[in-house]
Amino acid sequence: MQFSEVKYRVAVKGTPREILSGISGSASPGEVLAMMGPSGSGKTTLLSMLGGRATAADGCISYNDEPFGKSLKRRIGFVTQDDVLFTHLTVKETLTYAALLRLPRTMTREQKKERAMDIIYELGLERCQDTMIGGSFVRGVSGGERKRVCIGNEIIINPSLLFLDEPTSGLDSTTALRIVQLLHDIAETGKTVITTIHQPSSRLFHKFDKLILLGRGSLLYFGKTAEAMPYFSSIGCNPLIAMNPAEFLLDLANGNTNDVSVPSELDDKVHMENQNLQDTNSKINLRPSAQDVHEYLVDAYEHRVAYKEKKKLLAPLPISDDMKATITSSKREWGTNWCQQYSILFCRGLKERRHDYLSWMRITQVIATSIILGLLWWHSDPTTPKGLQDQAGLLFFIAVFWGFFPVFTAIFTFPQERAMLNKERAADMYKLSAYFLARTTSDLPLDLFLPVIFMVIVYFMAGLKASAMRFFLSMLTVFLSIIAAQGLGLAIGATLLDIKKATTLASVTVMTFMLAGGFFVKRVPPFISWLRYLSFNYHTYRLLLKVQYDPVPDILMTSVPLDNGVTEVGALVAMIIGYRVLAYLSLRRVKASNG
């Protein structure tokens, strides 16, 4: 892999700011290239461009003189700095689903599962293969094991290029050493490994084959790691005390020369500046400034190394046969067809979310609420006007509760899975339509389990009409309400992709729908009465009245007469479809804006 004069700019308050300025380098199969530099030096930006996750403003990135394209995605592995994994899946399930989605369709399902097991043993994860990944509130595997699972997710496709963003971040030195040794083992199989690293120990530093040192977006050094210290010594920069080479290089990149010998050119410059300061009676500074050090290092690299390294870039790098086939193919290939993608994602969704949906806290919440309602409306008597109004109040509460509950569950769906969706879509694991349909339908069996328990308890404790037909029609009405409300939550979450903003908008929307639902206000002013037709609470309440009392008594009659219920059912079905279409289009818009 080769890259030459790569530049990247961003607009800050309308003014272009250069993040990377002319970075050149290369990495061959069998090598591990490390990119070092202080925070904000552009390491992650450069890695993202080399991995095809961002587009360079200028410069050339190629593999054996061939440009990167979408067809190369299936030969590239990219491990992000954050461990983006599903909390409730086990190690084995995580890698198996990755294998099923990413490996070519020429392999059978069993072969893909065998490949996942091979990776588990290759990474030394066999002891924790049946342990959940875990997270902030769920106990799971260790940090080093999580990182190995992330790497396993990428090497499962046997990539020719593997990119890693700070794979040792947050790990102890021993675990970090294991991870770097693992990268060497991967490289030795003929792969090219490129990684960013923040501040490695001396043991880690010497394990890298090549090194790129960045400072303020400029290239300070590119070459063999073993030649880095001799190079900086040749330009007059030496550590004055025994120190980790990585710390020494980062100090230089930061412009800190407290424990570093200063080159004669910089000494002369400082003395000249101090002479000028003495003339103006200003404070004397005996050390060169960070800007002076940066300019000196950039100038030294340009004059001593850059020309020689750029000449090397003109020579083609060796290329593997599988990458040759990939480069010549311009067609994007999916590991599975659409139906298989849907099926795999549906099963994965069920396994991941069953722990949240069927948690004892949620079940206790629903059962406790239903028992309290049953006791408050214990065998209510619909033959009296007061008892009839009490029952209507219960029906309205059911309509509101099973409209409110699903909305505030569904709004978290896409904001919480945004990082996972971006990661998997960037790797072309599946089509967005397959993910969206699987994600929304895998919730249904889980979403409909608790309402059944709720209705069984409330319906008979409250003394509603003891008829099998009326009970099942009431149940169906609640189901329609739940699916419509869930669609609203999905649409709000997908449109905003921010939990705080989505929660605020959902609160205002649900409150408005509840007030317009036909129970609190019977005579709504004409200029705002149209709101009730957008409220699923309104249509659900009317349907529940229709199911329980046919014909509906005059005392409960709303401002709009009830017909056979077709209008209300049609409105709920339209909401179910409409809200989901809006959610899907919002996700497509976000994907398009992200490139």
Side-chain angles (χ1 to χ4, degrees):
M1 177 180 186
Q2 301 167 317
F3 45 100
S4 178
E5 296 298 328
V6 173
K7 296 182 180 180
Y8 188 75
R9 302 182 191 92
V10 293
V12 180
K13 295 181 180 179
T15 306
R17 180 187 166 194
E18 198 161 68
I19 303 298
L20 292 172
S21 46
I23 311 298
S24 299
S26 65
S28 303
E31 289 181 341
V32 179
L33 167 66
M35 293 192 285
M36 276 178 53
S39 297
S41 60
K43 303 187 299 293
T44 299
T45 302
L46 178 59
L47 190 78
S48 298
M49 287 192 293
L50 298 183
R53 304 296 175 98
T55 305
D58 290 303
C60 175
I61 301 172
S62 63
Y63 197 101
N64 203 47
D65 297 330
E66 295 290 341
F68 279 89
K70 287 185 177 180
S71 60
L72 281 173
K73 280 188 178 181
R74 64 182 182 272
R75 304 303 312 158
I76 292 176
F78 197 105
V79 181
T80 57
Q81 182 177 352
D82 297 324
D83 299 333
V84 184
L85 298 166
F86 282 115
T87 304
H88 293 104
L89 294 182
T90 65
V91 170
K92 183 178 179 180
E93 287 170 344
T94 299
L95 292 173
T96 299
Y97 284 123
L100 292 174
L101 287 167
R102 301 191 70 179
L103 291 174
R105 61 180 71 189
T106 53
M107 296 176 69
T108 65
R109 191 180 182 89
E110 289 306 313
Q111 287 174 329
K112 291 181 179 182
K113 288 182 178 180
E114 286 175 13
R115 172 64 178 160
M117 288 306 301
D118 290 342
I119 293 296
I120 286 173
Y121 284 102
E122 185 179 329
L123 299 179
L125 294 168
E126 61 273 12
R127 291 179 62 186
C128 63
Q129 61 177 304
D130 295 317
T131 305
M132 281 197 298
I133 297 296
S136 303
F137 304 104
V138 182
R139 196 169 177 183
V141 298
S142 67
E145 288 166 340
R146 284 172 65 89
K147 186 58 69 176
R148 278 183 278 164
V149 173
C150 291
I151 295 173
N153 262 336
E154 300 304 317
I155 66 171
I156 205 162
I157 60 170
N158 195 27
S160 297
L161 285 163
L162 180 62
F163 297 91
L164 306 99
D165 191 6
E166 298 200 15
T168 61
S169 178
L171 303 179
D172 62 80
S173 59
T174 305
T175 307
L177 186 62
R178 275 194 207 132
I179 294 294
V180 174
Q181 186 57 54
L182 172 64
L183 300 184
H184 258 286
D185 294 341
I186 293 169
E188 285 174 1
T189 62
K191 314 302 178 191
T192 303
V193 178
I194 301 176
T195 179
T196 63
I197 196 137
H198 184 60
Q199 194 163 349
S201 66
S202 55
R203 286 192 301 173
L204 291 187
F205 178 79
H206 290 296
K207 282 191 170 291
F208 298 118
D209 299 306
K210 280 184 177 177
L211 176 70
I212 283 179
L213 181 64
L214 297 174
R216 302 185 186 185
S218 298
L219 188 58
L220 307 183
Y221 176 77
F222 166 68
K224 292 181 179 178
T225 306
E227 297 174 2
M229 293 300 287
Y231 162 73
F232 283 101
S233 178
S234 72
I235 62 172
C237 298
N238 289 294
L240 296 175
I241 59 173
M243 61 193 303
N244 176 357
E247 289 183 13
F248 165 71
L249 296 179
L250 287 172
D251 276 350
L252 280 179
N254 272 311
N256 177 14
T257 58
N258 288 336
D259 297 312
V260 178
S261 64
V262 179
S264 57
E265 291 96 325
L266 277 177
D267 259 338
D268 295 341
K269 187 173 183 179
V270 170
H271 286 308
M272 288 180 63
E273 288 176 352
N274 285 340
Q275 186 64 45
N276 294 333
L277 290 172
Q278 284 177 342
D279 294 341
T280 58
N281 295 321
S282 300
K283 187 178 179 181
I284 297 174
N285 181 14
L286 297 177
R287 306 296 301 176
S289 67
Q291 183 62 32
D292 288 338
V293 174
H294 176 75
E295 289 175 358
Y296 174 77
L297 293 175
V298 171
D299 187 63
Y301 179 78
E302 283 294 326
H303 285 88
R304 292 174 183 250
V305 183
Y307 177 74
K308 182 175 66 174
E309 290 297 336
K310 285 175 186 175
K311 246 183 122 179
K312 289 181 186 176
L313 294 179
L314 298 176
L317 290 174
I319 184 170
S320 57
D321 292 336
D322 59 344
M323 184 60 87
K324 281 180 185 174
T326 303
I327 289 172
T328 54
S329 169
S330 60
K331 185 181 176 183
R332 175 189 290 182
E333 291 183 9
W334 301 97
T336 51
N337 59 41
W338 191 95
C339 292
Q340 290 171 329
Q341 289 174 14
Y342 169 80
S343 174
I344 295 166
L345 293 169
F346 181 88
C347 293
R348 188 180 74 173
L350 273 179
K351 283 193 175 181
E352 164 60 19
R353 287 182 291 282
R354 64 185 173 183
H355 298 277
D356 282 337
Y357 277 79
L358 305 180
S359 66
W360 66 268
M361 287 185 66
R362 189 168 291 203
I363 293 173
T364 302
Q365 178 188 14
V366 170
I367 291 177
T369 304
S370 58
I371 291 174
I372 291 169
L373 290 175
L375 293 175
L376 287 173
W377 273 273
W378 179 260
H379 286 191
S380 53
D381 184 9
T383 58
T384 64
K386 188 175 180 181
L388 192 62
Q389 287 183 327
D390 283 347
Q391 275 199 0
L394 173 62
L395 296 177
F396 184 73
F397 179 85
I398 292 172
V400 169
F401 183 76
W402 289 111
F404 178 91
F405 204 65
V407 168
F408 285 91
T409 301
I411 58 172
F412 296 102
T413 299
F414 297 121
Q416 284 182 337
E417 290 193 8
R418 183 180 186 179
M420 179 64 76
L421 180 61
N422 288 342
K423 171 193 157 187
E424 294 183 336
R425 288 280 292 149
D428 276 351
M429 287 178 67
Y430 45 72
K431 294 183 178 179
L432 183 62
S433 56
Y435 163 80
F436 181 83
L437 195 61
R439 184 63 182 83
T440 53
T441 54
S442 65
D443 286 340
L444 292 181
L446 300 169
D447 276 333
L448 303 183
F449 173 73
L450 292 178
V452 171
I453 298 174
F454 176 91
M455 288 297 290
V456 167
I457 295 173
V458 171
Y459 197 92
F460 297 106
M461 284 183 71
L464 296 174
K465 293 287 177 67
S467 160
M469 179 61 71
R470 291 180 192 272
F471 173 77
F472 286 114
L473 286 176
S474 299
M475 197 80 239
L476 180 60
T477 300
V478 170
F479 284 174
L480 286 173
S481 175
I482 289 169
I483 301 170
Q486 189 189 56
L488 175 64
L490 292 171
I492 292 174
T495 302
L496 299 178
L497 286 177
D498 181 281
I499 291 176
K500 286 186 178 179
K501 291 178 182 177
T503 304
T504 303
L505 179 59
S507 300
V508 174
T509 306
V510 169
M511 182 189 67
T512 305
F513 283 0
M514 180 181 69
L515 293 174
F519 182 77
F520 293 115
V521 184
K522 291 289 193 298
R523 300 183 184 278
V524 182
F527 65 87
I528 202 172
S529 61
W530 55 270
L531 272 175
R532 63 189 172 199
Y533 299 112
L534 302 178
S535 167
F536 42 78
N537 299 134
Y538 173 77
H539 299 294
T540 304
Y541 176 51
R542 285 167 63 85
L543 278 175
L544 288 173
L545 288 176
K546 175 76 177 173
V547 169
Q548 285 297 310
Y549 319 111
D550 193 11
V552 178
D554 293 338
I555 193 173
L556 300 179
M557 188 61 69
T558 55
S559 55
V560 180
L562 278 163
D563 51 17
N564 57 5
V566 173
T567 303
E568 285 71 23
V569 171
L572 288 173
V573 170
M575 290 179 189
I576 290 169
I577 297 171
Y579 286 140
R580 280 167 171 75
V581 169
L582 175 60
Y584 178 71
L585 293 177
S586 297
L587 282 183
R588 287 213 73 88
R589 174 185 56 80
V590 171
K591 181 67 177 72
S593 65
N594 287 344

